[in-house]
Amino acid sequence: MPAARMAREIPSCRPNCAPLDKLKHVLHSGAEMSLGAADTSVRATSGATVHWSKWPNLHLVFVLLAFATAGFSAPRRLASLSPNLTEIVYGVGAFDQLVGVSQYTEYPPAVSKLPVVGGWQNPDYEKLVGLRPDLVLVDLGQAQFVQDKCKQLGLHVMVVADEKVSDVYTAIMVIGQATGHEAEAGKLLQTTRDGLLRVSQRTAALPKLNVVLIVDRTPGTLRDLYTATAGSYLAELVDLAGGRIAVPPDKLGYAKLSKEDLLAADPDVILDFTHGAAGRFAGDPIEAWREMPELKAVKTHRVSAVNEDYVPHASQRIVLTAELFARLIHPEGK
């Protein structure tokens, strides 16, 4: 399936489509997404400090050096081209430095008052330049679409990895450092790690259930199934929530899933990311699973629709996603 389909307006396209566009690009283009940000290690205990790797995010270092040379201690005007990065900017206390955001950004609610500079892979460059940002934040998946053009226009760009939970931790700290909010970023990082730790502790004594997490499919049917696999932050959150991804790993963290593969996995639980599907073409997200009554999860009524807007966002809100997954995988848990 061509990459152009990812940005196409189709009946199943809903608010917050940017993360889904990103996912579809990975799935259909075969793009290698394994580049990571700086390695960090933080103990998940109260009062812990951040321990940076020997080599911090070099791209960030170059950006900060550029600003130091120009006489600025930190960027004063930020543009964020990915919803999850906007959430992190807000989380570290730098929201008032934002002058523009990407399409489908809905959190925090105050973003509705900010200019929108286009989509995840097709920003409005004229509008973006007109906002005079000191720094443009992009995620790793979209960098191949926008980074070179931004640089040609004289814009400073910071590329932030967000494919794994560890990337989210790093993103919090580098965005905090880049915006002059290191202390707030450290607190947000600790809060995020502590939140995930609490989920893990609640489910530690519960059995690991086999889970399939459907991240995309043709609405109303079980055609074109795509699933999260080991290597994605969503799979990590399933594990923290007391589940185990039931399908084989894939280097991209996501893979196409045939009905035969699904039958072979025969999961205990199916989490169906409907991404807020709405409209007459969307169909009942649970109804479609009656096509496969032989599945254990279908027979035991363990298919759950997942349409919360924060699920596809790799930001500090991964804690909410982990908590949601824990409730769906282990409703008996307290």
Side-chain angles (χ1 to χ4, degrees), residues 11-215:
S12 63
C13 199
R14 288 76 64 184
N16 291 311
C17 282
L20 192 59
D21 288 346
K22 170 182 173 179
L23 172 60
K24 287 182 177 179
H25 170 73
V26 178
L27 294 172
H28 301 311
S29 71
E32 179 58 63
M33 301 283 287
S34 62
L35 295 176
D39 178 39
T40 61
S41 174
V42 182
R43 290 194 178 93
T45 56
S46 178
T49 57
V50 181
H51 303 283
W52 289 93
S53 67
K54 182 177 179 181
W55 302 106
N57 187 308
L58 293 179
H59 188 87
L60 173 65
V61 170
F62 293 140
V63 169
L64 294 181
L65 283 174
F67 280 104
T69 302
F72 295 104
S73 58
R76 299 174 183 177
R77 298 176 64 83
L78 298 172
S80 171
L81 301 189
S82 191
N84 63 307
L85 302 183
T86 300
E87 294 177 4
I88 294 174
V89 169
Y90 170 72
V92 301
F95 186 76
D96 61 353
Q97 293 164 245
L98 273 173
V99 296
V101 297
S102 57
Q103 196 174 14
Y104 305 122
T105 302
E106 295 188 342
Y107 183 87
V111 295
S112 63
K113 300 177 182 178
L114 292 175
V116 175
V117 294
W120 182 77
Q121 68 182 58
N122 56 343
D124 182 334
Y125 291 104
E126 183 177 357
K127 191 171 186 178
L128 180 60
V129 170
L131 293 174
R132 298 177 291 107
D134 298 319
L135 183 63
V136 179
L137 301 176
V138 304
D139 71 39
L140 184 60
Q142 70 186 151
Q144 61 186 302
F145 301 114
V146 304
Q147 184 177 12
D148 289 345
K149 181 65 174 178
C150 284
K151 289 183 177 180
Q152 289 172 13
L153 294 170
L155 299 172
H156 294 289
V157 176
M158 187 170 83
V159 178
V160 182
D162 59 357
E163 304 306 312
K164 302 177 184 297
V165 169
S166 60
D167 291 337
V168 175
Y169 296 157
T170 301
I172 289 171
M173 290 307 301
V174 296
I175 289 175
Q177 183 178 0
T179 60
H181 293 267
E182 287 187 73
E184 295 93 332
K187 293 176 182 177
L188 179 63
L189 175 60
Q190 194 60 57
T191 299
T192 304
R193 291 190 64 108
D194 287 347
L196 293 182
L197 179 63
R198 285 193 299 272
V199 174
S200 178
Q201 289 174 334
R202 286 201 302 268
T203 62
L206 299 174
K208 284 280 188 183
L209 299 184
N210 290 324
V211 176
V212 165
L213 173 55
I214 301 297
V215 295

Side-chain angles (χ1 to χ4, degrees), residues 161-331:
D162 59 357
E163 304 306 312
K164 302 177 184 297
V165 169
S166 60
D167 291 337
V168 175
Y169 296 157
T170 301
I172 289 171
M173 290 307 301
V174 296
I175 289 175
Q177 183 178 0
T179 60
H181 293 267
E182 287 187 73
E184 295 93 332
K187 293 176 182 177
L188 179 63
L189 175 60
Q190 194 60 57
T191 299
T192 304
R193 291 190 64 108
D194 287 347
L196 293 182
L197 179 63
R198 285 193 299 272
V199 174
S200 178
Q201 289 174 334
R202 286 201 302 268
T203 62
L206 299 174
K208 284 280 188 183
L209 299 184
N210 290 324
V211 176
V212 165
L213 173 55
I214 301 297
V215 295
D216 193 35
R217 62 179 172 84
T218 300
T221 76
L222 296 185
R223 294 195 300 271
D224 296 324
L225 291 166
Y226 291 90
T227 181
T229 71
S232 66
Y233 79 92
L234 290 172
E236 292 181 79
L237 299 182
V238 166
D239 183 73
L240 287 172
R244 179 190 300 109
I245 292 294
V247 298
D250 186 275
K251 66 177 182 178
L252 299 177
Y254 302 93
K256 190 166 187 177
L257 191 67
S258 69
K259 288 186 178 180
E260 291 74 21
D261 294 333
L262 193 52
L263 283 170
D266 197 20
D268 301 303
V269 177
I270 295 173
L271 303 179
D272 186 1
F273 179 32
T274 58
H275 207 68
R280 63 190 181 93
F281 295 105
D284 181 344
I286 305 302
E287 179 72 23
W289 290 97
R290 294 183 183 178
E291 292 181 28
M292 300 187 69
E294 62 271 46
L295 288 173
K296 183 190 302 182
V298 176
K299 288 188 289 189
T300 58
H301 307 288
R302 296 300 310 276
V303 180
S304 297
V306 177
N307 55 21
E308 284 74 6
D309 64 355
Y310 48 79
V311 173
H313 293 186
S315 70
Q316 66 274 17
R317 301 177 87 198
I318 57 175
V319 175
L320 297 176
T321 301
E323 291 171 343
L324 172 65
F325 286 176
R327 292 194 299 272
L328 296 176
I329 296 169
H330 286 292

